[in-house]
Amino acid sequence: MFTKKEWIHFVIIVLVVGFALGFNDGADEFVIGAWLLNLLIVTIMVAISLFLYQWAQKTVAKINGFVTEFKIWGVDTFHWGLWWGIMLKKEKDLPKTFKFFGREITIKSVPIGIFLSIIVTLVTNGHLFWLGLTNYDLMIKRSKRLGRKFVNVTGYDEAKIALAGPMTCVVLMIVFGLLNAQGMFTKMIMINTWLAVFNMIPFFQFDGGKVWNGSRILYVFSAVFIAAIAILVHFLDFMPLLIVSVILALTAAIIFFVKRYAEDK
């Protein structure tokens, strides 16, 4: 399911996210042994969460006749514009090829997410963090798309695939919330909360941006649903949690739809 290149990117992202979320262990005084143990535990939890996150997106993509290639989020341009609320590249600055000691090196993108994550973690001593590190390319398996209304990828197709990742985090939040009577899985809930929240930021290359560009109503519903689950999972049992979150998400989606319909008229 994962190529060698994807596994390399996966390991790098797990280590960076684990460092960001495990850097501050919450202890009153620094003890190297305890700090390293906390960092290890958090990194393992991040690995499990991110693997399931990517597995869900790949599975939904496969069902819909596509293949995803997981990679580190990077930017190949610093020139952006807006068209009808959608972020578009004005021009590409990368790839660039240059020679280093006689050897040609090509830079296809700048992994700005990794730099941001490490810098924010160190500057704030782990009190704040940046987790927007992942991205994927979507490729069409035309033989699997035959008979469908649209052979090429539609915005809604990509929205469904992108949303599978954050919704997997929601499932993990709920499951570990139910098992967290003794507080053993608080870190796992926290990890999946922040992974879902950061990846739902409606930036062009993030999963949230793909959902937003594919379906505004779906984005509003899912963003409110995820936020509600993240907050209420600490206070409500399963059924009340699900019911309240769905009601809040539906209400937000209806308000958005009515407001947008009124503006269109």
Side-chain angles (χ1 to χ4, degrees):
M1 181 173 284
F2 289 86
T3 64
K4 182 179 178 180
K5 180 181 177 182
E6 286 179 301
W7 277 117
I8 293 172
H9 285 211
F10 178 80
V11 170
I12 293 172
I13 289 173
V14 165
L15 292 176
V16 174
V17 174
F19 177 76
L21 294 177
F23 187 81
N24 189 335
D25 61 1
D28 293 330
E29 59 181 84
F30 179 75
V31 179
I32 184 65
W35 183 81
L36 288 173
L37 178 61
N38 175 73
L39 192 64
L40 176 62
I41 292 172
V42 169
T43 301
I44 291 172
M45 290 181 174
V46 167
I48 294 170
S49 301
L50 278 177
F51 176 82
L52 293 174
Y53 188 109
Q54 296 303 322
W55 173 82
Q57 289 185 330
K58 285 182 172 290
T59 300
V60 174
K62 185 178 180 180
I63 292 171
N64 286 275
F66 301 102
V67 175
T68 61
E69 184 182 20
F70 170 69
K71 63 181 185 179
I72 295 170
W73 171 58
V75 295
D76 57 9
T77 181
F78 297 96
H79 298 86
W80 295 88
L82 285 175
W83 182 77
W84 290 86
I86 300 175
M87 293 191 69
L88 298 174
K89 299 176 183 179
K90 288 185 176 180
E91 59 182 279
K92 292 181 69 173
D93 299 305
L94 298 173
K96 294 284 187 183
T97 301
F98 62 94
K99 288 189 176 182
F100 184 73
F101 289 103
R103 183 178 179 181
E104 284 194 350
I105 298 176
T106 301
I107 298 177
K108 296 181 179 179
S109 64
V110 178
I112 191 169
I114 289 179
F115 296 139
L116 279 174
S117 183
I118 295 172
I119 291 170
V120 171
T121 299
L122 293 176
V123 169
T124 66
N125 198 31
H127 291 289
L128 296 176
F129 34 79
W130 176 266
L131 305 181
L133 304 176
T134 64
N135 187 22
Y136 67 82
D137 288 330
L138 193 61
M139 294 159 284
I140 302 172
K141 295 180 70 175
R142 293 191 178 276
S143 61
K144 301 294 184 180
R145 297 286 294 174
L146 295 177
R148 296 176 184 263
K149 185 176 180 180
F150 300 102
V151 175
N152 294 324
V153 61
T154 65
Y156 187 66
D157 284 329
E158 182 139 38
K160 290 187 297 182
I161 295 166
L163 187 58
M167 291 307 292
T168 298
C169 291
V170 168
V171 172
L172 292 174
M173 275 189 269
I174 294 173
V175 170
F176 286 101
L178 295 172
L179 300 173
N180 199 39
Q182 305 299 321
M184 292 177 59
F185 300 108
T186 301
K187 289 184 186 297
M188 191 67 165
I189 297 170
M190 179 270 292
I191 288 167
N192 283 280
T193 297
W194 287 116
L195 284 176
V197 169
F198 265 91
N199 283 288
M200 282 301 289
I201 295 173
F203 182 67
F204 176 71
Q205 292 179 310
F206 288 1
D207 291 336
K210 293 172 181 178
V211 178
W212 174 260
N213 290 339
S215 173
R216 303 293 170 84
I217 292 178
L218 179 61
Y219 178 85
V220 171
F221 176 89
S222 57
V224 174
F225 180 75
I226 289 170
I229 291 288
I231 295 170
L232 299 176
V233 70
H234 301 283
F235 307 104
L236 300 178
D237 293 328
F238 175 70
M239 282 309 297
L241 172 66
L242 198 60
I243 292 171
V244 173
S245 298
V246 169
I247 290 174
L248 289 173
L250 279 173
T251 302
I254 291 170
I255 292 172
F256 177 82
F257 176 80
V258 171
K259 184 178 179 182
R260 187 177 180 186
Y261 177 76
E263 288 178 351
D264 290 342
K265 289 185 68 176

